Amino acid sequence: MKRLDKHKTVLFLVMLFLVSLQLGKAKSEETERIISITAKKFEYNPSILELKLGEPVVIELKSLDRKHGFKVPALGLETVVKGGETTRVRIVPDKVGEFPFHCSVFCGSGHEDMVGKIVVKK
């Protein structure tokens, strides 16, 4: 009988731990600001993102026409967005400044003009 009680206690503690993990995950997702960016030949809209130091952000990139890249070398971010799809990138800025980004997938004549910047303020 005592052995069964120990198993119930262990099972209860494991379930409590798993529930607390889920609650913590849900809370962190609620606090993330979502910024949507559309990508198309040869522009991002918006092309300037203003972020706060230490504030979690999810950047939702949607390509309206074809495959594009999103690369922010100074922040170590790089992803590819397929045509008609949305890609999510999570960032928690850890330094103040202006950080240029560009399309890292060649998308035709004008590709070099597909740029923007992330501005991180205190």
Side-chain angles (χ1 to χ4, degrees), residues 72-98:
V72 191
L75 298 178
L77 295 176
E78 183 172 12
T79 192
V80 172
V81 187
K82 296 179 182 175
E85 293 187 10
T86 299
T87 300
R88 294 170 55 101
V89 177
R90 185 176 189 275
I91 178 174
V92 181
D94 61 356
K95 53 188 167 185
V96 173
E98 293 187 3

Side-chain angles (χ1 to χ4, degrees), residues 25-38:
K25 181 179 176 184
K27 183 172 176 103
S28 71
E29 289 175 358
E30 289 173 10
T31 62
E32 293 176 337
R33 183 166 60 118
I34 297 175
I35 299 175
S36 297
I37 300 178
T38 57

Side-chain angles (χ1 to χ4, degrees), residues 10 14 19 36 39 47 66 78 82-83 85 107 113-115 117 120:
V10 169
V14 169
V19 167
S36 297
S47 61
R66 55 164 297 148
E78 183 172 12
K82 296 179 182 175
E85 293 187 10
C107 53
D113 297 324
M114 194 167 175
V115 297
K117 68 180 171 180
V120 179

Side-chain angles (χ1 to χ4, degrees), residues 38-58:
T38 57
K40 66 177 184 177
K41 284 187 172 181
F42 301 102
E43 67 182 67
Y44 293 103
N45 187 20
S47 61
I48 299 175
L49 307 180
E50 292 188 6
L51 308 181
K52 291 181 184 176
L53 183 67
E55 177 187 44
V57 173
V58 173

